[in-house]
Amino acid sequence: MSHSVSNIGLALGGGGARGLAHIKILQVLDEFAIRPKEIAGTSMGALVGSLYAAGMSGLEIEDYSRDIFSKRTELLKRLYGNRPPKWLSLINFSTPAILNAETFFEMILPQSLPASFEELAIPFHAITADFYTQEIHVINSGPLLPAIAASSALPALLTPVEIEGRVLIDGGFVNPLPYDVIKDRVGLTIAVDVTGEPARLAGKIPNSMNALIGASQIMLRSLTNAMIKNHKPDILIAPTVGRYNVLDYFKIEDILLQSETAADELRRQLETTLKIIDA
């Protein structure tokens, strides 16, 4: 399509594996030749958003994600294959968390990812939570990898990340859908909420790890609903991915397929919005 809008902001929310749904949304923006003026991302939204801000297309991000998550053997090869020193530093038995956040993301992110925010093609804001001040901390300059790791550092699963004296954890605890960070900097804001409708299924009592992760998702959804009730973004897209668990990354094919309906909804909304802009 020949349409292009130069003053759109994009906010990608947190939700673990559900955030793979962001990929189909990015592909719609590519179809409309829309390059966001600014991007803000929380947790998985920060990871996907940083790749897009670096210049990867939605299709390239899908291909890359499929390479990692379509088969467990591929992910294990990436983590443990040819970098034994990194593997040794990945698991930290001296802390309650399982994985070292920075090492983990260094091993799974593309080696071509820019080293700093300043090298990105699109201005990008990574949302983190300062553990000690209990406040949002937005990172949009300096080294990129630690910021992505901090935004996704879910306690008990990934270690907190220290940046410039701050101890930072998953940004979902303070702002799971960060459209408010960019709404005053752009003309129109698209926000993608991947917290998902809760699955209406009875199940067994979760173990401690699943209960902790699940409780964090309850909080993400509650915060997101409160934000939207107070002030909606211009375009809100909410893929129906609530049936998937936070760690269901190996269900990438199902999540991408389930995201198509939300992608169609964005197409319809953009067509309407662009007609108004062109009028």
Side-chain angles (χ1 to χ4, degrees), residues 80 109 116 149 156 228-229 234 247 279:
Y80 307 127
L109 285 169
S116 70
I228 293 170
K229 185 177 180 180
D234 298 297
L247 299 180

Side-chain angles (χ1 to χ4, degrees), residues 64 68 74-81 83 107-109:
Y64 186 79
I68 297 175
E74 291 301 316
L75 179 59
L76 291 173
K77 186 186 301 182
R78 180 176 293 274
L79 292 177
Y80 307 127
R83 289 176 275 189
M107 295 170 82
I108 69 167
L109 285 169

Side-chain angles (χ1 to χ4, degrees), residues 3-5 8 32 34 269-279:
H3 298 293
S4 67
V5 177
I8 284 180
F32 281 79
I34 290 174
Q269 293 207 39
L270 283 175
E271 285 169 358
T272 300
T273 301
L274 291 174
K275 284 179 183 177
I276 294 172
I277 291 174
D278 292 339

Side-chain angles (χ1 to χ4, degrees), residues 8-13 22 25 40 176-180 182 188-194 224 227-228 231-239 266 269:
I8 284 180
L10 177 65
L12 302 179
H22 290 314
I25 301 303
L177 188 60
Y179 57 89
D180 58 317
I182 57 174
L188 183 143
T189 307
I190 300 172
V192 187
D193 171 18
V194 291
T224 300
M227 288 176 59
I228 293 170
H231 180 73
K232 287 186 177 182
D234 298 297
I235 295 177
L236 175 63
I237 301 297
L266 179 59
Q269 293 207 39

Side-chain angles (χ1 to χ4, degrees), residues 11 25 38 53 59 66 72 90 122 159 173 176 199 202 204 228 239 245 267 269:
I25 301 303
E38 303 207 15
L59 185 58
R66 274 200 168 104
R72 284 177 170 80
L90 177 64
I122 300 172
T159 56
F173 286 98
K204 61 183 180 180
I228 293 170
N245 293 326
R267 286 187 185 94
Q269 293 207 39

